[in-house]
Amino acid sequence: MRSLVLLGALLASVQAGAQTTPLPSFEGQVIYQVMPDRFADGNPANNQGVNLDDPRAWHGGDLAGLTGKLEYIRALGATAVWLTPVYQQQPVNTSGTAPYHGYWPADFRSVDPHFGTLADFTAFVKAAHGGGMKVVLDQVINHYGYEAAAVKVRPQWFTTDAECQASAQKDIDCPLAGLPNLKQSNPEVTDVLLGADDFWRTQGVDAYRYDAIKHVEGPFLKTLFARDRAAGTWTLGEWYDADTGTVADWQKAGLDSLFLFSMQAAMKSSIMGGQGLDTVRAVLERQGELPRPGEVALFLDNHDVPRFAQGSLFEDVGRERTKYGLRALMTLRGVPVLWQGTEIAQRGGTDPDNRRQMRFENQWTPEERAVYDVARDAIAVRKASPALSRGTLALLNVPDAQAGNLLLFTRTVQGQRVLAAWHGGKARTTYSLKLAGLTLSAADVSGVKTLFAGQDAKVSVRSGYLHLSLPPQDAAAFVLP
């Protein structure tokens, strides 16, 4: 459900003004998401309260460790790194859980000692930029941590239970998961949050991922988005379970991007669950609603949902279908976001099981290495292809009899065209389809091989027919003349 009051106000304000400067863009980027505490430990001296056996405790990952692993991320092919929040957290646990994840802030302008120092953050940003990667920082703008000092020292900053009960906008005026709910309209709160935004920008941050925007006051968001755009800062919002309409509304309201949860759900059911590709097609059929389809964030899983590979009871099946999902993801229009460990089909259920410690090359099994190789190759194929990186997407009209197992679309830019073919069938299949029925025009070609390494897939065009030879449960891509 969308907050119509919030969005209506924002849309009216944006449409009243004219856009005179280029919009920030991440089209063509591939983002790698990291939760620093669960990634790499570079400085054991800051390991206060660490317990690797407790999934709700600190695990010791820090900025020094992340900086030391930037070459791993670069070698995978990612062009940007998204960090969950690294600023000062509440000093104690709540309900047996430490604030390792970064979403229980106490000071928005300081680095938590578990992660290191501001100098460590500066070193990380410098190293990332030196390696040609952008930095996306998670920003909390809805709340403080349960036990943050500000909750007691500045009670006027937070909504009360009475205000929550009386409000017609519960999502905005009531606590999210019981967290102290900020009044962004309070001038002091506005100054704190906008000041934090400016502060991290001066540290070299290129983009922000805004947490839980559904629960934040509209006028504040209007101001925030305008400042970010004026500064050239790309913005990515989180609205849990967002569909195409929600993403479209927020792009019109000033956000550059939102996570398309409906596509993630469709890929999980069709690719991992084997339930047919109709749900993916239904999402793609709505792409025309999006003002900026090339900016939409696409993902298989993240830190808030069960791991993609967890969708199968069998680890070998989970790995094979993750390979399928990774290749498919890299053929879509938008900005792919890869959560740490998905490149090896790491498993995990609901929070905190989906946040297991990251494992690197010397710890991988041969099967995990095989998934990584597919991930790395799929990213490389996307980056090498202007059409896959930035091209428009046009769905092809697959006959109803094949539509459950076959999804076809083209990606096109500047005269280059790539045909993407997702195949959900459980056996190798050859398809012969009339070009006219597909609404596809193509010159005759023979035996065009897939762009993906290690994959036996081919396409030919002859006498008005498209002939496809596809392996089971996989996605392929072909350059068409």
Side-chain angles (χ1 to χ4, degrees):
M1 181 181 295
R2 284 172 270 165
S3 176
L4 298 180
V5 174
L6 184 156
L7 285 171
L10 283 171
L11 287 170
S13 66
V14 170
Q15 292 165 356
Q19 180 66 42
T20 58
T21 57
L23 298 175
S25 175
F26 257 49
E27 190 170 13
Q29 304 288 333
V30 177
I31 300 174
Y32 188 81
Q33 181 196 354
V34 169
M35 183 171 280
D37 178 67
R38 302 300 165 94
F39 197 62
D41 186 359
N43 181 12
N46 60 26
N47 286 359
Q48 301 88 358
V50 165
N51 182 357
L52 294 175
D53 295 325
D54 183 354
R56 298 186 180 277
W58 292 97
H59 280 196
D62 49 32
L63 289 164
L66 174 56
T67 304
K69 289 294 184 182
L70 279 174
E71 176 56 27
Y72 168 83
I73 298 171
R74 190 200 64 77
L76 177 63
T79 61
V81 184
W82 159 27
L83 298 77
T84 51
V86 296
Y87 29 66
Q88 178 77 50
Q89 297 294 294
Q90 67 177 46
V92 297
N93 295 357
T94 294
S95 300
T97 299
Y100 67 88
H101 42 69
Y103 293 101
W104 295 346
D107 184 343
F108 292 101
R109 296 198 203 186
S110 297
V111 173
D112 193 281
H114 289 88
F115 300 129
T117 65
L118 185 59
D120 291 327
F121 185 82
T122 301
F124 159 72
V125 173
K126 182 178 180 181
H129 287 168
M133 289 182 284
K134 296 180 181 293
V135 174
V136 184
L137 182 63
D138 217 312
Q139 290 281 60
V140 177
I141 52 177
N142 175 69
H143 57 265
Y144 270 75
Y146 298 99
E147 302 295 335
V151 179
K152 293 182 178 179
V153 176
R154 306 287 186 192
Q156 69 274 18
W157 288 6
F158 304 91
T159 56
T160 65
D161 183 62
E163 288 169 324
C164 165
Q165 296 303 320
S167 175
Q169 299 184 76
K170 303 293 186 185
D171 285 337
I172 294 174
D173 295 323
C174 295
L176 171 64
L179 288 157
N181 188 64
L182 281 167
K183 295 180 180 179
Q184 291 85 11
S185 54
N186 181 303
E188 292 180 350
V189 174
T190 300
D191 288 345
V192 167
L193 297 177
L194 295 183
D197 206 56
D198 291 340
F199 175 79
W200 293 107
R201 193 165 16 242
T202 64
Q203 306 306 312
V205 171
D206 303 289
Y208 289 129
R209 180 265 189 186
Y210 287 116
D211 182 58
I213 61 170
K214 179 179 182 179
H215 305 278
V216 179
E217 296 176 26
F220 170 79
L221 289 175
K222 172 190 171 184
T223 301
L224 182 67
F225 299 163
R227 287 165 66 96
D228 285 332
R229 283 206 166 166
T233 303
W234 189 73
T235 53
L236 169 60
E238 183 233 4
W239 180 292
Y240 197 84
D241 275 347
D243 65 358
T244 302
T246 304
V247 175
D249 284 345
W250 280 100
Q251 285 190 326
K252 293 172 187 175
L255 266 178
D256 296 307
S257 182
L258 223 73
F259 294 96
L260 187 56
F261 275 86
S262 58
M263 178 58 80
Q264 188 269 341
M267 293 180 75
K268 182 179 178 181
S269 66
S270 65
I271 294 175
M272 186 57 67
Q275 296 179 20
L277 291 162
D278 308 87
T279 53
V280 175
R281 171 175 286 275
V283 176
L284 291 176
E285 285 174 341
R286 297 186 63 186
Q287 66 172 330
E289 301 174 29
L290 297 166
R292 304 176 69 196
E295 304 294 334
V296 176
L298 306 167
F299 63 108
L300 296 180
D301 53 15
N302 64 25
H303 63 298
D304 286 328
V305 299
R307 287 283 190 173
F308 190 70
Q310 192 74 15
S312 172
L313 292 174
F314 307 100
E315 292 192 19
D316 57 343
V317 174
R319 285 190 294 267
E320 291 305 308
R321 293 185 182 176
T322 296
K323 293 177 186 177
Y324 175 11
L326 287 164
R327 285 175 171 148
L329 183 69
M330 294 303 157
T331 66
L332 289 170
R333 188 179 188 186
V335 182
V337 182
L338 203 63
W339 166 226
Q340 64 181 55
T342 302
E343 71 271 27
I344 58 171
Q346 191 164 326
R347 296 177 68 83
T350 57
D351 172 13
D353 192 40
N354 56 347
R355 304 170 178 182
R356 297 179 190 178
Q357 191 71 21
M358 180 62 186
R359 295 165 50 252
F360 295 98
E361 298 95 322
N362 62 339
Q363 301 169 299
W364 293 346
T365 66
E367 292 79 12
E368 289 172 326
R369 165 64 72 173
V371 180
Y372 171 85
D373 288 343
V374 166
R376 183 176 180 178
D377 173 69
I379 293 171
V381 166
R382 182 183 180 89
K383 290 168 62 179
S385 168
L388 288 177
S389 292
R390 299 176 179 273
T392 58
L393 188 153
L395 274 170
L396 302 185
N397 296 325
V398 176
D400 290 345
Q402 287 85 35
N405 281 335
L406 184 64
L407 178 74
L408 299 177
F409 56 85
T410 57
R411 301 289 311 280
T412 307
V413 69
Q414 298 174 348
Q416 186 192 73
R417 182 170 57 165
V418 171
L419 172 69
W422 296 16
H423 183 220
K426 295 181 179 180
R428 168 170 287 279
T429 306
T430 298
Y431 296 92
S432 294
L433 306 169
K434 286 186 177 180
L435 293 177
L438 295 171
T439 62
L440 177 68
S441 175
D444 283 4
V445 291
S446 180
V448 176
K449 295 182 179 180
T450 177
L451 294 173
F452 296 129
Q455 183 185 64
D456 183 11
K458 299 181 182 69
V459 65
S460 296
V461 178
R462 191 177 303 111
S463 303
Y465 278 83
L466 178 74
H467 304 281
L468 289 160
S469 177
L470 301 173
Q473 297 180 318
D474 208 348
F478 311 90
V479 176
L480 285 184

